[in-house]
Amino acid sequence: MPTETAMTTQAKQLAHKATARADEYVGFLEPAREWIIINFGETGLIAAYLLLASIVLLVVAKLSKVAFSTLKYVAIPALILAFIGSVMLDY
């Protein structure tokens, strides 16, 4: 069996810390982690973490795109129209 490098050891420690921290909020992560390790091993666990990270990044990217589109098409034109209306209309 090949020896572990410092990087893989650190990655495993970080993954375990993240799983333990997330387990405080969601109770099914530790049994799911154990099931993945039993059925697929450490490489399966790493693949599951990569899949979860990519899904989270995809969701964050879509939410940020919606937020910036809202600013671009709703908030900024509303502020411009409010400014123009306040300058051109009498009190």
Side-chain angles (χ1 to χ4, degrees):
M1 188 162 128
T3 60
E4 294 183 3
T5 63
M7 185 179 280
T8 57
T9 304
Q10 185 179 10
K12 285 181 183 179
Q13 289 173 350
L14 288 174
H16 186 66
K17 284 180 186 178
T19 302
R21 180 72 176 158
D23 196 38
E24 295 175 5
Y25 303 108
V26 183
F28 70 90
L29 285 179
E30 190 62 32
R33 180 182 175 274
E34 292 172 3
W35 181 83
I36 291 171
I37 289 175
I38 290 170
N39 291 312
F40 303 107
E42 288 290 327
T43 55
L45 185 63
I46 293 169
Y49 285 142
L50 288 174
L51 177 66
L52 184 63
S54 66
I55 291 172
V56 167
L57 286 175
L58 178 68
V59 169
V60 167
K62 293 294 180 181
L63 287 175
S64 64
K65 184 177 179 182
V66 167
F68 286 123
S69 293
T70 302
L71 281 174
K72 183 178 176 181
Y73 294 114
V74 176
I76 294 174
L79 289 173
I80 292 171
L81 286 175
F83 177 74
I84 291 172
S86 68
V87 168
M88 292 192 172
L89 295 175
D90 292 334
Y91 289 103

